[in-house]
Amino acid sequence: MVVPEVRPWRAAKPHVVRIANAVRPRLARAAAAAKPRVTRLTKAVRPGPDRPSRTRNVRTWQYSAGAATAGLALAAGVVTAAGPWDANGQRTAERDRAAALERSGGADHGSSGTTSGAPRPAPSAAAVLASLGGGADIVSTKKAPPGQKALADVLKPLLNAPALGGTHTASVVDIGTGRRLYGSGAGKALTPASTTKIATAVAALSALGPDHRLTTRTALEPGTGELVLVGGGDPTLTAHRKADGWASLRTLATGTAEALKKRGIHEVTLSYDTTLYSGPALHRIGVNENLAPVSALTVDEGRTNGSSSGPVTRVGDPAADAAHKFAGFLNDAGVKTSAPGPSKACGTADTLATVSSPPLSALVERMLTNSDNDIAEALARHTALASGGTASFAGGAEAVAARLGKLGLPLSGTAFHDGSGLDRDDRLTADLLTALLVKAGDPADPGLRPVLTGLPVAGFTGTLAARYTNGAAGVVRAKTGTLTGVNTLAGTVVDKDGRLLAFAFLASGTTNPPEAQAALDATATALAGCGCG
């Protein structure tokens, strides 16, 4: 347990007050529901002249058990709604919500950009799902136990809403046991949109590990005075004055200048190396505000307005843009440079300085929370490199599929063409999406846990920040997906019985994105409150 220090707690106090106010109605309802039973139990143990002592002893443990159960239920409600403690004693979700409320957005690929001064997504707490277990057998539950409503009776009418178009599929799986609780066309492959990023995340973490870091470096060619800025494929490299924990181009320039001056060098020919990646830089969708041309060397994702997420006009050549900014930082540090041009660092070049990204786990969480297409395409390429393939759109897609196949996940009917889901020819099934989430919750694969911790929190973070305001805010965690005529949602929820469930809902042929999103949110909210068989 992290015990917050006084100063961080004071900073967090207003947020905690707000979250307490938000969950107070739920606690009141839970207390009201428990009151009759607690009253009966209290009467059962109350001493009386005609009540034998033996009965009192028997009733005492029943009362204790009932009270403990009610208390645990209330405590679980508070913790679930409030979210995990951050390292400084503040609720992670509440801090992100405060930042989110200062900007517009909330829809996938919507205008949810943040300025360079706004807080970035905070790293998550340590894994908390290590106790999950159970077999991997998948069965279909068609009838509910006595006294329970069948899950199909709850979900089917919601999924048949006109807003979800003519084609939709669904899957719900108990992560703890691996049992499928509901399926409707779950094996039918549809366009997944950005829920593709769940597959990319699992593949990248499996191939590289959660602690892997991406490194950008400078190399001095022997005898020529040529300095090469070598791109390492870090999509989070930043030129902002405040790096906020991400790899800083300014820091790299400072370290490089110091190394050059120690060698008595004050002027260099500057080049940049992007050969780590291959193939076309432009996605099949062409020039698009949702994705910069993909390069092994880029800063701030080629954004032109200081934002850190959401759609915005991008620079045409991210590598040249990064090199020109690097040249300016070197000049500020007292090293003159030529106008930079493309080159390739040779094997004998001396590395002068390096900067590395946060661990891959943090990149995955940022990708999923913000639906970051630039990170997704970079991670697909690094998956390809780790697998001995080519770092291109095609090579990344092939490597993701191959990696998931090695994990034994159901790939029948699926098709990958990119890592982000922007390609309309991508095809995934609800079965695969829930299987990916179940895999991420498997205690045998703790390195995949960032797939769950990175999912946006309903009503609080990322692409769900402005959704679920009247629904299961803080309870549902899910990756959104939106393309023209396509709306998808895949994630996790704790239901009324305390089960952690994985769900995937895919709809094609939608005509009104806000109405389709609301229909999907209503379905996930119903799943949270059902407690069905």
Side-chain angles (χ1 to χ4, degrees), residues 158-202:
L158 294 170
L159 291 169
N160 284 334
L164 294 181
T167 305
H168 47 76
T169 64
S171 176
V172 178
V173 177
D174 186 330
I175 290 182
T177 64
R179 295 177 63 244
R180 183 200 283 173
L181 304 179
Y182 177 79
S184 176
K188 182 176 181 179
L190 296 179
T191 303
S194 276
T195 53
T196 300
K197 294 182 177 71
I198 297 175
T200 301
V202 169

Side-chain angles (χ1 to χ4, degrees), residues 193-259:
S194 276
T195 53
T196 300
K197 294 182 177 71
I198 297 175
T200 301
V202 169
L205 288 167
S206 174
L208 299 161
D211 298 325
H212 183 77
R213 297 173 187 263
L214 310 178
T215 299
T216 307
R217 66 188 179 96
T218 52
L220 183 65
E221 297 288 356
T224 66
E226 179 186 9
L227 178 69
V228 184
L229 175 61
V230 183
D234 180 4
T236 61
L237 181 67
T238 181
H240 292 320
R241 190 172 298 277
K242 292 183 178 180
D244 293 331
W246 305 98
S248 171
L249 192 68
R250 294 172 183 264
T251 299
L252 183 62
T254 299
T256 301
E258 291 175 352

Side-chain angles (χ1 to χ4, degrees), residues 87 126 171 233 314 345 394 406 409 508:
S171 176
R314 313 301 182 97
K406 289 182 179 179
L409 296 166
S508 292

Side-chain angles (χ1 to χ4, degrees), residues 97 105-108 457-474 478-482 487-489 513-514 516-522:
R97 175 170 171 76
D108 214 17
V457 180
F460 285 87
T461 61
T463 55
L464 289 185
R467 291 167 62 169
Y468 291 86
T469 54
N470 295 317
K479 181 70 199 75
T480 57
T482 307
N487 290 90
T488 60
L489 190 69
Q517 290 173 2
L520 293 176
D521 293 348

Side-chain angles (χ1 to χ4, degrees), residues 124-392:
S124 68
V128 296
L129 299 176
S131 63
L132 290 176
D137 57 310
I138 303 297
V139 300
S140 177
T141 302
K142 299 183 181 297
K143 293 184 179 180
Q148 286 188 334
K149 192 173 183 180
L151 187 57
D153 293 340
V154 174
L155 298 185
K156 188 174 180 179
L158 294 170
L159 291 169
N160 284 334
L164 294 181
T167 305
H168 47 76
T169 64
S171 176
V172 178
V173 177
D174 186 330
I175 290 182
T177 64
R179 295 177 63 244
R180 183 200 283 173
L181 304 179
Y182 177 79
S184 176
K188 182 176 181 179
L190 296 179
T191 303
S194 276
T195 53
T196 300
K197 294 182 177 71
I198 297 175
T200 301
V202 169
L205 288 167
S206 174
L208 299 161
D211 298 325
H212 183 77
R213 297 173 187 263
L214 310 178
T215 299
T216 307
R217 66 188 179 96
T218 52
L220 183 65
E221 297 288 356
T224 66
E226 179 186 9
L227 178 69
V228 184
L229 175 61
V230 183
D234 180 4
T236 61
L237 181 67
T238 181
H240 292 320
R241 190 172 298 277
K242 292 183 178 180
D244 293 331
W246 305 98
S248 171
L249 192 68
R250 294 172 183 264
T251 299
L252 183 62
T254 299
T256 301
E258 291 175 352
L260 288 170
K261 290 176 183 179
K262 287 181 180 179
R263 297 172 182 243
I265 301 173
H266 298 275
E267 185 172 355
V268 295
T269 299
L270 181 61
S271 302
Y272 57 91
D273 183 348
T274 63
T275 58
L276 183 67
Y277 290 174
S278 58
L282 275 181
H283 191 281
R284 287 172 57 179
I285 60 174
V287 176
N288 191 281
E289 292 184 341
N290 287 299
L291 178 66
V294 182
S295 172
L297 176 63
T298 183
V299 291
D300 300 308
E301 301 180 336
R303 296 172 177 275
T304 57
N305 68 346
S307 64
S308 61
S309 65
V312 67
T313 301
R314 313 301 182 97
V315 299
D317 188 342
D321 172 68
H324 279 287
K325 289 177 179 176
F326 185 72
F329 297 150
L330 279 180
N331 284 320
D332 292 343
V335 176
K336 294 182 179 180
T337 74
S338 63
S343 183
K344 177 176 172 56
C346 69
T348 58
D350 293 333
T351 296
L352 298 184
T354 64
V355 290
S356 294
S357 71
L360 188 67
S361 58
L363 271 62
V364 163
E365 289 185 326
R366 177 172 167 180
M367 173 187 70
L368 294 172
T369 299
N370 294 337
S371 196
D372 194 305
N373 299 301
D374 299 271
I375 296 178
E377 296 303 344
L379 294 189
R381 281 162 172 72
H382 283 285
T383 301
L385 291 171
S387 306
T390 58
S392 62

Side-chain angles (χ1 to χ4, degrees), residues 19 22-23 26 76-84 93-94 97 455-461 464-478 492-495 500 524-525 528:
I19 198 64
V23 302
R26 177 175 295 178
V78 174
V79 173
T80 299
E94 185 67 4
R97 175 170 171 76
L455 294 173
V457 180
F460 285 87
T461 61
L464 289 185
R467 291 167 62 169
Y468 291 86
T469 54
N470 295 317
V475 177
V476 171
R477 302 193 67 153
T492 65
V493 64
V494 178
D495 75 356
L500 180 63
T525 297

